[in-house]
Amino acid sequence: MTFRAVAVALAAGSFALAAAAIGNAQGAPSPAAAPPAKAGAPAPAAAAKAGPLVILDFKPTLSDLMTMLIQPRHIKLWAAAQQRNWTLAAFELNEMRSAFDKVAATIPKYTTVDLGPTFISLMGPKIQTVNGAIGAQNPMQFATAFNDLTVGCNSCHEALNHPYLVIKVPDTTGYPNQDFRPVPGAAAVK
């Protein structure tokens, strides 16, 4: 290709790109008019001049969902029980169970594994046992049930060929901005 042909191709591409940008800008809603600036006031921030919010097409992976939805609940469930906050523990356990449902609804099949039935068979009985310990408000029973739940997490990882993803009973909460102590008079989770 000659130098002239390359230059023409680049110019044509630049023109097409500019035309597309203008077309997108014309189709975008116009921002609301800003009030006039007062004399001596600083100029409005660049963010105020930004275009409309663009929502990206996010398709979370199984790993994303487990890290965002399940793992934090596992930690918070443990932390609540350590403080004998059985109301919060019941809430976090329910959130974890619900999160498993959301993961299975978002990614019904991982490789050849149907996640919904797998979660139910591997985690369902363990969640029920933890729930019983919370209902009994028994720290020793909870510790045993929570350990079994954690072993269940690792069994699932092994079944999905990820034995290197090892979950453990937490040492600390990792949530320094949340108080896990019971709140006197807090209503029980239903």
Side-chain angles (χ1 to χ4, degrees):
M1 189 179 267
T2 67
F3 175 78
R4 181 180 173 104
V6 170
V8 169
L10 285 174
S14 296
F15 179 77
L17 183 61
I22 290 169
N24 284 340
Q26 288 176 343
S30 59
K38 294 180 183 174
K49 296 179 185 177
L53 177 66
V54 176
I55 305 298
L56 301 177
D57 187 23
F58 176 57
K59 295 188 183 246
T61 64
L62 179 58
S63 176
D64 294 329
L65 294 173
M66 296 304 283
T67 302
M68 290 187 298
L69 300 176
I70 305 297
Q71 195 169 10
R73 299 298 181 197
H74 181 265
I75 295 167
K76 288 182 169 197
L77 170 60
W78 174 84
Q82 296 309 296
Q83 293 295 319
R84 312 298 190 258
N85 188 343
W86 302 112
T87 300
L88 180 58
F91 172 79
E92 293 298 345
L93 182 64
N94 188 54
E95 291 293 301
M96 178 188 279
R97 187 206 48 74
S98 178
F100 276 117
D101 293 343
K102 289 173 186 154
V103 170
T106 304
I107 303 175
K109 194 169 207 151
Y110 179 77
T111 60
T112 61
V113 177
D114 291 324
L115 292 181
T118 300
F119 290 156
I120 290 168
S121 68
L122 285 175
M123 304 308 292
K126 295 170 186 337
I127 288 172
Q128 290 300 331
T129 304
V130 172
N131 190 53
I134 291 169
Q137 298 186 5
N138 183 320
M140 295 302 292
Q141 186 181 349
F142 178 87
T144 301
F146 187 82
N147 187 60
D148 193 37
L149 176 72
T150 305
V151 169
C153 294
N154 293 319
S155 295
C156 190
H157 296 164
E158 289 171 15
L160 295 174
N161 295 316
H162 296 306
Y164 45 85
L165 295 175
V166 179
I167 302 301
K168 67 182 190 96
V169 173
D171 300 320
T172 61
T173 67
Y175 288 93
N177 63 337
Q178 184 171 355
D179 189 348
F180 290 93
R181 293 175 294 184
V183 175
V189 176
K190 301 202 186 236

